[in-house]
Amino acid sequence: MIKDYDIIRRPLNTEKTTLQKELFNQVSFEVDRQANRMEIKDAVERIFNTKVQTVRTIQMKGKVKRRGKVLGKRRDWKKAIVRLMPGQRIDFFEGV
């Protein structure tokens, strides 16, 4: 059985995700590439003790980067946008 912390890798904290959190009560995470929506929903509800309304997932392609003559590629990853039920919230940086 896969653990909750293996499914939810890290929260994404950008200007866009901050705006989504304030306006639409949505939180974004980097998740395991094999995780489905139900596993992501259950993991978020257990880890953060909140209720989830919907989960949307996006397969993100890794960027091609160059260092001198050498071309490299960052890894592909999966992003999950989780909408919380009204009145629910997740605070990553409380009191900062």
Side-chain angles (χ1 to χ4, degrees), residues 29-94:
F29 297 99
E30 179 183 342
V31 296
D32 183 59
R33 291 195 62 201
Q34 275 71 43
N36 61 31
R37 292 178 188 201
M38 292 305 297
E39 292 172 343
I40 294 168
K41 178 183 177 186
D42 293 340
V44 170
E45 287 180 346
R46 282 194 294 261
I47 291 172
F48 298 106
N49 198 20
T50 60
K51 295 292 181 188
V52 173
Q53 186 174 0
T54 59
V55 176
R56 295 185 298 160
T57 58
I58 305 158
Q59 293 288 339
M60 305 295 290
K61 298 291 182 185
K63 294 181 178 179
V64 176
K65 293 291 183 174
R66 175 183 290 248
R67 179 173 263 179
K69 292 181 180 180
V70 179
L71 277 176
K73 182 179 175 293
R74 291 185 181 171
R75 64 182 177 82
D76 297 338
W77 56 288
K78 188 174 192 175
K79 177 166 61 170
I81 301 173
V82 177
R83 175 173 285 192
L84 302 175
M85 289 289 212
Q88 300 285 319
R89 60 183 301 176
I90 296 175
D91 290 321
F92 296 116
F93 305 106
E94 292 183 33

Side-chain angles (χ1 to χ4, degrees), residues 19-34:
L19 192 61
Q20 285 178 329
K21 182 177 179 182
E22 293 171 358
L23 296 179
F24 306 113
N25 203 20
Q26 295 176 344
V27 184
S28 298
F29 297 99
E30 179 183 342
V31 296
D32 183 59
R33 291 195 62 201
Q34 275 71 43

